[in-house]
Amino acid sequence: ASMYDGSADLYDRTSGERICSCAGHKFSLRSCIMSPDGKKILTASKDGTSKLFCASSGEYLGSFDAEAVLCGANFSPDLSKVLTAAQDGVAKLFDTHSGACLQEFPDHSAPVLSATMSFDGTWVLTSSSDLEAKLFETNTGRCLRSFSEENGFVTCAQWAPGGRQLLLAFFSGKVAVFDPASDRFVQEFVGHTDCVHSMKLI
């Protein structure tokens, strides 16, 4: 549960008892997630920082300063890095252990709503309220693709299961699967008469 006072509380879903409280932010939280192994909690706040906590004790483990109001934060698949998405239109990549900023992804013209990494760490996918999704090269920060240019406004973007292909939903009502390795769309799904806001590949 994320709190307006800048703290996050973790509860046991069976007993309802609070396991720990993660505090330290100066302003309210925008997102709060748990690592896939269940050991760490990552928060993102309007104070411009993302913070890392121990999920069993609430102990503060580190901070990542994005220098702008955050919309969210995510772990890399191997948990060695943290990606932040900020209102200034920039996504940033941080080292989980040192807190150092390793790369910036600055090409959006409006707040970045999400930033996620491919399974092998090669690419970063961002989506923004500018209705664009962008694919970046992780090591260089170079924008490889802007998906609004050819197919219209993007309403939702995410990695498909396995983290190797992209799922993209467009304002036109089309949903498409894009393969970064071959740099092409490999599948399209049509039939909606209005914009698609969410999707899931199972």
Side-chain angles (χ1 to χ4, degrees):
S2 58
M3 308 295 288
Y4 288 107
D5 64 0
S7 66
D9 294 336
L10 179 66
Y11 293 87
D12 184 283
R13 64 180 181 181
T14 302
S15 67
E17 294 182 359
R18 186 169 64 180
I19 298 171
C20 68
S21 183
C22 307
H25 285 289
K26 297 178 181 178
F27 298 109
S28 60
L29 302 185
R30 300 296 296 273
S31 73
C32 178
I33 63 170
M34 182 176 285
S35 60
D37 62 6
K39 295 181 178 180
K40 295 176 182 178
I41 292 172
L42 182 66
T43 58
S45 169
K46 293 176 69 175
D47 66 11
T49 67
S50 174
K51 295 185 186 297
L52 191 64
F53 300 89
C54 174
S56 60
S57 65
E59 177 188 0
Y60 167 77
L61 300 175
S63 184
F64 315 99
D65 189 0
E67 301 179 326
V69 174
L70 288 180
C71 298
N74 280 296
F75 291 100
S76 65
D78 65 2
L79 307 182
S80 68
K81 298 175 181 66
V82 165
L83 278 162
T84 60
Q87 279 193 194
D88 63 354
V90 179
K92 294 184 179 182
L93 180 69
F94 295 88
D95 183 90
T96 302
H97 301 291
S98 69
C101 182
L102 304 175
Q103 193 58 262
E104 295 188 5
F105 311 97
D107 286 7
H108 284 288
S109 60
V112 180
L113 303 177
S114 69
T116 53
M117 185 177 286
S118 62
F119 179 79
D120 61 3
T122 303
W123 301 293
V124 168
L125 174 67
T126 59
S127 62
S128 167
S129 56
D130 63 10
L131 296 178
E132 288 187 337
K134 293 182 183 291
L135 184 68
F136 295 89
E137 191 173 50
T138 303
N139 291 337
T140 65
R142 182 168 64 99
C143 182
L144 303 175
R145 270 272 192 167
S146 180
F147 290 98
S148 68
E149 294 175 356
E150 300 173 6
N151 296 278
F153 293 136
V154 176
T155 53
C156 184
Q158 62 193 46
W159 291 101
R164 292 180 175 86
Q165 294 181 324
L166 311 182
L167 278 172
L168 300 162
F170 295 93
F171 194 81
S172 64
K174 181 175 69 176
V175 173
V177 179
F178 181 82
D179 179 45
S182 61
D183 193 36
R184 66 187 182 94
F185 287 95
V186 296
Q187 186 72 53
E188 291 187 357
F189 305 92
V190 296
H192 288 288
T193 58
D194 205 340
C195 60
V196 178
H197 293 288
S198 68
M199 69 224 157
K200 186 176 183 179
L201 183 62
I202 56 174

